[in-house]
Amino acid sequence: MNPLSAASPAVSTSLLEDFSLEMTGKDIPDLEEAAGLIPQGTRINVTFLGNENLRMRLEAARTVKRLGFMPVPHISARRLGSQADFEQFLAGLRSDATGTDVFTVGGDPAHPEGPYEDSLSLINTGLLTQYAVRHVGISGYPEGHPAIADDALWTALRGKSAALAAQGLSGSVITQFGFDVAPVLAWIEEVRGHGITLPVRIGVPGPAGVRRLMSYAARFGVVTSASIAKKYGLSITNLMGTAGPDRFLRAVAEGYDPARHGEVKIHFYTFGGLKATSEWVARFRKEALA
Protein backbone atom coordinates (compact mmCIF):
# COMPACT_ATOMS: atom_id res chain seq x y z
CA MET A 1 0.00 0.00 0.00
CA ASN A 2 1.21 3.51 -0.78
CA PRO A 3 2.03 5.00 2.65
CA LEU A 4 0.68 8.34 1.53
CA SER A 5 -2.78 6.90 0.93
CA ALA A 6 -3.24 6.33 4.65
CA ALA A 7 -2.45 9.92 5.58
CA SER A 8 -4.94 11.59 7.86
CA PRO A 9 -6.62 14.72 6.43
CA ALA A 10 -5.86 16.38 9.77
CA VAL A 11 -2.17 16.37 8.87
CA SER A 12 -2.67 18.50 5.79
CA THR A 13 -5.56 20.72 6.80
CA SER A 14 -4.03 21.75 10.12
CA LEU A 15 -0.43 20.81 10.75
CA LEU A 16 0.74 21.15 7.14
CA GLU A 17 -1.29 24.23 6.26
CA ASP A 18 1.66 26.46 7.13
CA PHE A 19 4.73 24.22 7.12
CA SER A 20 8.25 25.63 6.90
CA LEU A 21 11.47 24.44 5.26
CA GLU A 22 15.19 24.86 5.82
CA MET A 23 18.05 25.58 3.42
CA THR A 24 21.71 26.58 3.50
CA GLY A 25 23.45 29.37 1.64
CA LYS A 26 24.63 26.82 -0.92
CA ASP A 27 21.11 25.62 -1.73
CA ILE A 28 20.04 28.50 -4.01
CA PRO A 29 20.04 26.32 -7.20
CA ASP A 30 18.03 23.65 -5.36
CA LEU A 31 15.49 26.21 -4.15
CA GLU A 32 15.08 27.62 -7.65
CA GLU A 33 14.48 24.10 -8.97
CA ALA A 34 11.96 23.28 -6.24
CA ALA A 35 10.16 26.65 -6.19
CA GLY A 36 7.18 25.50 -8.26
CA LEU A 37 6.42 22.76 -5.71
CA ILE A 38 6.35 25.06 -2.68
CA PRO A 39 3.29 27.17 -1.77
CA GLN A 40 3.90 30.90 -2.11
CA GLY A 41 4.57 32.59 1.21
CA THR A 42 6.09 29.47 2.77
CA ARG A 43 8.61 30.27 5.50
CA ILE A 44 12.11 29.14 4.49
CA ASN A 45 14.82 29.22 7.13
CA VAL A 46 18.35 30.05 5.94
CA THR A 47 21.00 28.47 8.15
CA PHE A 48 24.11 30.23 9.51
CA LEU A 49 26.97 27.80 8.89
CA GLY A 50 30.62 28.27 9.67
CA ASN A 51 31.73 27.54 6.10
CA GLU A 52 29.52 30.28 4.62
CA ASN A 53 30.03 34.04 4.61
CA LEU A 54 27.88 37.16 4.87
CA ARG A 55 27.46 37.51 1.12
CA MET A 56 26.17 33.93 0.77
CA ARG A 57 23.73 34.32 3.64
CA LEU A 58 22.31 37.59 2.34
CA GLU A 59 22.06 36.27 -1.21
CA ALA A 60 20.17 33.18 -0.03
CA ALA A 61 17.68 35.34 1.89
CA ARG A 62 17.21 37.58 -1.16
CA THR A 63 16.56 34.55 -3.34
CA VAL A 64 13.94 33.23 -0.93
CA LYS A 65 12.13 36.57 -1.10
CA ARG A 66 12.51 36.91 -4.88
CA LEU A 67 10.85 33.53 -5.39
CA GLY A 68 7.83 34.54 -3.33
CA PHE A 69 8.64 32.92 0.01
CA MET A 70 9.25 34.30 3.51
CA PRO A 71 12.95 34.32 4.40
CA VAL A 72 13.83 33.42 7.98
CA PRO A 73 17.60 33.98 8.33
CA HIS A 74 19.35 32.21 11.18
CA ILE A 75 21.66 34.14 13.50
CA SER A 76 24.19 31.94 15.29
CA ALA A 77 25.29 33.64 18.52
CA ARG A 78 28.58 31.85 19.05
CA ARG A 79 29.65 32.32 15.41
CA LEU A 80 29.48 36.13 15.61
CA GLY A 81 32.92 37.61 16.19
CA SER A 82 31.72 41.00 17.40
CA GLN A 83 28.78 43.35 17.81
CA ALA A 84 29.87 44.92 14.52
CA ASP A 85 29.43 41.54 12.78
CA PHE A 86 25.97 41.21 14.31
CA GLU A 87 24.93 44.68 13.19
CA GLN A 88 26.41 44.25 9.72
CA PHE A 89 24.27 41.17 9.20
CA LEU A 90 21.14 42.85 10.57
CA ALA A 91 21.78 45.95 8.44
CA GLY A 92 22.12 43.85 5.30
CA LEU A 93 18.88 42.04 6.04
CA ARG A 94 17.06 45.29 6.73
CA SER A 95 18.40 46.83 3.51
CA ASP A 96 17.08 43.86 1.53
CA ALA A 97 13.80 43.72 3.49
CA THR A 98 14.59 40.08 4.30
CA GLY A 99 15.00 40.32 8.07
CA THR A 100 11.61 40.95 9.63
CA ASP A 101 11.62 37.29 10.74
CA VAL A 102 14.80 35.67 12.08
CA PHE A 103 15.76 32.54 13.99
CA THR A 104 18.26 32.87 16.83
CA VAL A 105 20.35 29.94 17.98
CA GLY A 106 23.45 29.40 20.11
CA GLY A 107 25.27 27.54 17.34
CA ASP A 108 27.72 24.66 17.13
CA PRO A 109 31.02 26.16 18.44
CA ALA A 110 31.80 25.02 21.97
CA HIS A 111 33.19 28.47 22.75
CA PRO A 112 31.91 31.82 21.45
CA GLU A 113 33.94 33.50 18.74
CA GLY A 114 32.78 36.87 20.10
CA PRO A 115 30.65 38.42 22.85
CA TYR A 116 27.49 36.28 22.45
CA GLU A 117 27.14 33.06 24.43
CA ASP A 118 23.62 32.09 23.38
CA SER A 119 20.49 33.27 21.60
CA LEU A 120 19.18 35.01 24.73
CA SER A 121 22.25 37.24 24.68
CA LEU A 122 21.34 38.25 21.12
CA ILE A 123 17.77 39.07 22.09
CA ASN A 124 18.85 41.02 25.15
CA THR A 125 21.01 43.41 23.10
CA GLY A 126 17.84 45.10 21.84
CA LEU A 127 19.44 45.26 18.40
CA LEU A 128 16.81 43.05 16.78
CA THR A 129 14.05 45.61 17.24
CA GLN A 130 16.40 48.43 16.21
CA TYR A 131 16.94 46.71 12.86
CA ALA A 132 13.22 46.14 12.19
CA VAL A 133 12.98 42.49 13.26
CA ARG A 134 9.41 41.66 14.25
CA HIS A 135 9.38 37.89 14.80
CA VAL A 136 12.06 35.73 16.42
CA GLY A 137 12.29 31.95 16.32
CA ILE A 138 14.01 30.07 19.13
CA SER A 139 15.08 26.45 19.62
CA GLY A 140 13.36 23.68 21.57
CA TYR A 141 14.75 20.27 22.52
CA PRO A 142 12.07 17.65 23.28
CA GLU A 143 14.70 14.94 23.86
CA GLY A 144 17.17 17.21 25.60
CA HIS A 145 20.54 18.48 24.43
CA PRO A 146 23.73 16.39 24.60
CA ALA A 147 25.72 19.28 26.10
CA ILE A 148 23.09 21.20 28.13
CA ALA A 149 21.24 20.05 31.26
CA ASP A 150 17.44 19.93 31.12
CA ASP A 151 17.06 22.52 33.88
CA ALA A 152 19.23 24.94 31.92
CA LEU A 153 17.20 24.32 28.78
CA TRP A 154 13.94 25.15 30.57
CA THR A 155 15.44 28.24 32.16
CA ALA A 156 16.66 29.40 28.76
CA LEU A 157 13.31 28.77 27.07
CA ARG A 158 11.41 30.68 29.72
CA GLY A 159 13.97 33.50 29.60
CA LYS A 160 13.79 33.86 25.82
CA SER A 161 9.99 33.79 25.81
CA ALA A 162 9.89 36.51 28.48
CA ALA A 163 12.53 38.63 26.72
CA LEU A 164 10.62 38.54 23.44
CA ALA A 165 7.40 39.57 25.17
CA ALA A 166 9.17 42.40 27.01
CA GLN A 167 10.43 43.81 23.71
CA GLY A 168 7.11 43.45 21.92
CA LEU A 169 8.44 40.77 19.57
CA SER A 170 6.34 37.84 18.44
CA GLY A 171 8.02 34.47 18.48
CA SER A 172 7.86 30.76 17.84
CA VAL A 173 9.74 27.63 18.83
CA ILE A 174 11.29 25.21 16.33
CA THR A 175 12.19 21.85 17.83
CA GLN A 176 15.13 19.63 17.16
CA PHE A 177 14.06 16.74 14.93
CA GLY A 178 13.27 13.32 16.33
CA PHE A 179 11.84 9.98 15.33
CA ASP A 180 9.43 9.39 18.22
CA VAL A 181 6.22 11.42 18.51
CA ALA A 182 5.41 10.64 22.17
CA PRO A 183 8.24 12.68 23.78
CA VAL A 184 7.63 15.57 21.38
CA LEU A 185 3.96 15.95 22.27
CA ALA A 186 4.70 15.42 25.97
CA TRP A 187 7.36 18.15 25.79
CA ILE A 188 4.98 20.58 24.09
CA GLU A 189 2.44 19.96 26.83
CA GLU A 190 5.16 20.69 29.40
CA VAL A 191 6.04 23.89 27.52
CA ARG A 192 2.45 25.03 28.01
CA GLY A 193 2.70 24.06 31.67
CA HIS A 194 5.58 26.53 32.00
CA GLY A 195 3.26 29.27 30.78
CA ILE A 196 4.91 29.53 27.35
CA THR A 197 2.27 30.10 24.70
CA LEU A 198 4.51 30.61 21.64
CA PRO A 199 3.54 28.56 18.57
CA VAL A 200 5.65 25.41 18.21
CA ARG A 201 6.97 24.04 14.93
CA ILE A 202 7.83 20.36 15.27
CA GLY A 203 11.11 19.59 13.52
CA VAL A 204 10.73 16.69 11.09
CA PRO A 205 13.41 15.28 8.78
CA GLY A 206 12.35 15.29 5.15
CA PRO A 207 12.81 12.09 3.14
CA ALA A 208 16.44 11.03 3.06
CA GLY A 209 18.73 8.03 3.07
CA VAL A 210 18.70 6.02 6.27
CA ARG A 211 22.47 6.32 6.66
CA ARG A 212 22.26 10.10 6.45
CA LEU A 213 19.37 10.30 8.91
CA MET A 214 21.20 8.10 11.41
CA SER A 215 24.32 10.23 11.01
CA TYR A 216 22.45 13.44 11.80
CA ALA A 217 20.70 11.75 14.71
CA ALA A 218 24.04 10.72 16.23
CA ARG A 219 25.41 14.23 15.74
CA PHE A 220 22.50 15.93 17.51
CA GLY A 221 21.85 13.38 20.25
CA VAL A 222 18.53 12.15 18.85
CA VAL A 223 17.30 8.84 20.27
CA THR A 224 17.41 6.06 17.68
CA SER A 225 16.77 2.81 19.52
CA ALA A 226 15.76 -0.17 17.40
CA SER A 227 12.11 0.09 18.48
CA ILE A 228 11.90 3.81 17.73
CA ALA A 229 13.64 3.37 14.38
CA LYS A 230 11.18 0.65 13.40
CA LYS A 231 8.21 2.76 14.49
CA TYR A 232 9.43 5.65 12.34
CA GLY A 233 10.12 3.43 9.33
CA LEU A 234 13.92 3.31 9.51
CA SER A 235 15.72 0.06 8.87
CA ILE A 236 18.92 0.06 10.89
CA THR A 237 19.91 -3.17 9.14
CA ASN A 238 19.50 -1.60 5.68
CA LEU A 239 21.33 1.71 5.77
CA MET A 240 21.15 1.95 1.98
CA GLY A 241 17.37 2.46 2.11
CA THR A 242 15.41 5.71 2.38
CA ALA A 243 12.73 6.87 4.79
CA GLY A 244 10.13 9.62 4.88
CA PRO A 245 8.14 11.03 7.80
CA ASP A 246 4.68 9.77 6.81
CA ARG A 247 4.26 7.55 9.89
CA PHE A 248 5.57 10.30 12.16
CA LEU A 249 3.18 12.90 10.77
CA ARG A 250 0.19 10.58 11.05
CA ALA A 251 1.11 9.90 14.67
CA VAL A 252 1.40 13.64 15.34
CA ALA A 253 -2.03 14.20 13.81
CA GLU A 254 -3.55 11.44 15.93
CA GLY A 255 -2.02 12.71 19.17
CA TYR A 256 -2.30 16.44 18.64
CA ASP A 257 -4.86 18.17 20.87
CA PRO A 258 -5.08 21.97 20.40
CA ALA A 259 -6.48 22.35 23.93
CA ARG A 260 -3.35 20.78 25.44
CA HIS A 261 -0.69 21.58 22.85
CA GLY A 262 -1.71 25.00 21.58
CA GLU A 263 -0.67 26.14 18.10
CA VAL A 264 1.52 23.54 16.39
CA LYS A 265 2.95 23.42 12.87
CA ILE A 266 5.64 21.40 11.05
CA HIS A 267 9.20 22.42 10.15
CA PHE A 268 11.07 20.22 7.65
CA TYR A 269 14.82 19.70 7.91
CA THR A 270 15.76 19.05 4.28
CA PHE A 271 18.50 16.48 4.86
CA GLY A 272 17.64 14.77 1.59
CA GLY A 273 17.47 18.01 -0.39
CA LEU A 274 14.93 20.79 -0.91
CA LYS A 275 13.48 19.29 -4.07
CA ALA A 276 13.01 15.83 -2.59
CA THR A 277 11.37 17.25 0.52
CA SER A 278 9.13 19.61 -1.47
CA GLU A 279 8.02 16.83 -3.81
CA TRP A 280 7.28 14.58 -0.84
CA VAL A 281 5.23 17.23 0.96
CA ALA A 282 3.26 18.05 -2.20
CA ARG A 283 2.38 14.36 -2.70
CA PHE A 284 1.56 13.87 0.95
CA ARG A 285 -0.77 16.87 1.08
CA LYS A 286 -2.49 15.79 -2.15
CA GLU A 287 -3.06 12.25 -0.90
CA ALA A 288 -4.21 13.49 2.50
CA LEU A 289 -6.92 15.60 0.90
CA ALA A 290 -8.01 12.95 -1.60
Side-chain angles (χ1 to χ4, degrees):
M1 181 180 69
N2 182 346
L4 300 180
S5 65
S8 164
V11 177
S12 180
T13 58
S14 175
L15 297 173
L16 284 182
E17 191 172 278
D18 179 27
F19 68 90
S20 53
L21 298 165
E22 192 153 301
M23 66 177 286
T24 74
K26 298 182 178 70
D27 289 336
I28 289 176
D30 295 335
L31 178 62
E32 291 176 329
E33 185 178 8
L37 300 164
I38 306 170
Q40 289 286 285
T42 295
R43 300 167 63 86
I44 299 183
N45 287 39
V46 181
T47 58
F48 194 110
L49 303 180
N51 59 358
E52 297 172 352
N53 57 33
L54 176 65
R55 179 191 60 79
M56 295 172 67
R57 295 169 187 136
L58 292 176
E59 179 58 25
R62 284 193 293 265
T63 301
V64 171
K65 182 183 178 185
R66 172 174 59 81
L67 293 173
F69 310 119
M70 169 65 77
V72 184
H74 287 202
I75 308 175
S76 177
R78 289 191 288 275
R79 291 196 187 282
L80 292 169
S82 65
Q83 179 176 322
D85 288 346
F86 187 18
E87 293 202 58
Q88 184 181 25
F89 188 36
L90 290 174
L93 295 172
R94 182 176 64 180
S95 177
D96 295 335
T98 55
T100 56
D101 285 27
V102 301
F103 179 79
T104 59
V105 64
D108 291 336
H111 303 287
E113 298 173 12
Y116 306 114
E117 173 70 28
D118 51 30
S119 58
L120 181 57
S121 65
L122 297 180
I123 297 167
N124 282 339
T125 64
L127 290 171
L128 296 174
T129 55
Q130 289 183 37
Y131 283 89
V133 174
R134 297 291 177 264
H135 182 98
V136 179
I138 57 178
S139 298
Y141 300 92
E143 295 184 41
H145 189 288
I148 305 174
D150 285 349
D151 286 349
L153 289 174
W154 284 115
T155 297
L157 190 61
R158 289 193 300 266
K160 287 181 281 190
S161 176
L164 293 178
Q167 295 183 40
L169 290 163
S170 64
S172 57
V173 181
I174 297 180
T175 75
Q176 176 60 278
F177 76 93
F179 299 122
D180 190 1
V181 168
V184 176
L185 291 179
W187 179 85
I188 295 174
E189 196 165 353
E190 191 171 356
V191 168
R192 304 312 182 202
H194 282 267
I196 299 169
T197 59
L198 298 175
V200 173
R201 289 183 176 270
I202 297 175
V204 178
V210 173
R211 185 185 299 276
R212 173 169 289 190
L213 291 174
M214 298 293 281
S215 174
Y216 276 106
R219 175 181 172 186
F220 294 114
V222 174
V223 176
T224 54
S225 68
S227 61
I228 290 173
K230 183 178 180 181
K231 184 191 301 184
Y232 185 85
L234 295 171
S235 173
I236 58 178
T237 60
N238 179 19
L239 297 181
M240 300 304 293
T242 61
D246 49 285
R247 295 185 187 180
F248 184 95
L249 290 177
R250 287 200 297 273
V252 171
E254 290 169 2
Y256 170 53
D257 178 1
R260 291 186 293 126
H261 301 119
E263 184 178 347
V264 173
K265 301 293 182 182
I266 300 298
H267 176 76
F268 288 99
Y269 292 98
T270 56
F271 299 141
L274 269 166
K275 184 179 180 183
T277 300
S278 301
E279 288 176 336
W280 189 95
V281 174
R283 289 198 305 270
F284 192 87
R285 294 179 73 193
K286 181 179 179 180
E287 292 292 337
L289 290 171

